[in-house]
Amino acid sequence: MAITMTESARAHIQSQLAKRGRGIGIRVGVKTAGCSGLAYVLEFVDSAQSEDVVFDQDGTMLVVDPKSLVYLDGTQMDFVKEGLNEGFTFSNPNVKNACGCGESFHV
């Protein structure tokens, strides 16, 4: 089981951690939300919990709880800038359906 990130995502996370002044990486998870059932959740991580799975890519840590990893296995996280909009995108091979607005998904 694995989650990866593009160089763009890694650079953005490193930049945000530097601005924040602390932290080991980003926690990636899912929560029940939206019209399709699940939504991605991101938050800074100062330290991993004992049950967390940690993916280290060139010193940037993605921290995932075991329950979320089932839904996220094989996902690639990217950071995209399009005009005035920017944000993380997820290429998740487990997604079967997504809502029209792109805020939630179903596996």
Side-chain angles (χ1 to χ4, degrees):
M1 294 190 141
I3 299 174
T4 60
M5 66 184 120
T6 64
E7 177 58 31
S8 177
R10 192 192 69 72
H12 184 73
I13 291 168
Q14 285 297 333
S15 170
Q16 294 304 305
L17 288 171
K19 286 180 186 176
R20 186 172 181 254
R22 67 181 191 284
I24 64 164
I26 295 288
R27 178 177 299 280
V28 181
V30 296
K31 69 175 183 175
T32 302
C35 51
S36 289
L38 297 171
Y40 298 105
V41 179
L42 299 172
E43 63 184 3
F44 290 112
V45 176
D46 292 326
S47 62
Q49 304 297 315
S50 61
E51 68 274 4
D52 287 336
V53 180
V54 179
F55 300 97
D56 181 347
Q57 280 192 232
D58 300 321
T60 302
M61 309 293 182
L62 289 177
V63 179
V64 184
D65 67 272
K67 290 181 182 178
S68 293
L69 186 56
V70 173
Y71 301 107
L72 298 172
D73 184 35
T75 297
Q76 182 178 58
M77 189 168 90
D78 193 9
F79 185 77
V80 178
K81 291 183 180 183
E82 293 179 2
L84 298 175
N85 298 318
E86 62 181 32
F88 288 103
T89 62
F90 300 87
S91 178
N92 185 338
N94 305 301
V95 171
K96 303 292 185 230
N97 298 314
C99 66
C101 64
E103 293 296 317
S104 64
F105 64 95
H106 175 74
V107 294

